[in-house]
Amino acid sequence: MSDTPAPDGKSWYKLLILFECRVLGASPESQFCEEQLVLLSATSIEHARLKGEAYVAAHRTVYKNDSDEDVEWAFLRILSIEELLDSPDEAGWEVASRLIDCPPPEAPPSTH
């Protein structure tokens, strides 16, 4: 498996971007946020920030929910930008993981 360099000799950068879900007419306490982890190629951290801002503008989302309310995913900020020192290979590349509580195991089916 060979490493896959970023296009044009650029480096790979990982951006953590924060969005807020806004529902028109809903109380601010019921709003929630989403963190998106975006992988892109750039020539510098500043270039990665600019490309991240372009990504946000291109992925702005507004729609009606099942209650016919306007829902907007609003960009709040770029939380972090990190240059990745390794390059992905053909087998794939882990971008993120997190530890979560596991649900309790299901009871075995009854044989009666």
Side-chain angles (χ1 to χ4, degrees):
M1 291 186 279
S2 62
D3 284 351
T4 305
D8 304 324
K10 299 175 184 174
S11 295
W12 289 105
Y13 290 85
K14 175 182 74 171
L15 283 71
L16 186 59
I17 302 173
L18 185 64
F19 292 87
E20 180 182 38
C21 180
R22 297 178 181 163
V23 179
L24 185 63
S27 73
E29 294 81 29
S30 67
Q31 310 292 14
F32 59 95
C33 291
E34 175 192 26
E35 289 182 342
Q36 282 188 11
L37 189 60
V38 176
L39 181 66
L40 51 81
S41 64
T43 57
S44 66
I45 285 184
E46 177 62 17
H47 185 220
R49 184 187 63 76
L50 293 171
K51 287 184 79 172
E53 291 171 356
Y55 172 87
V56 166
H59 290 88
R60 184 172 182 266
T61 304
V62 179
Y63 58 89
K64 296 272 190 194
N65 64 14
D66 59 353
S67 298
D68 202 37
E69 299 167 313
D70 289 322
V71 176
E72 174 188 19
W73 284 95
F75 167 69
L76 294 180
R77 64 185 162 275
I78 296 175
L79 298 171
S80 66
I81 302 173
E82 181 181 344
E83 182 177 8
L84 302 176
L85 301 178
D86 293 326
S87 295
D89 61 32
E90 294 173 10
W93 196 17
E94 181 179 312
V95 175
S97 67
R98 64 183 183 142
L99 297 174
I100 60 172
D101 290 329
C102 293
E106 293 183 23
S110 174
T111 57
H112 294 93

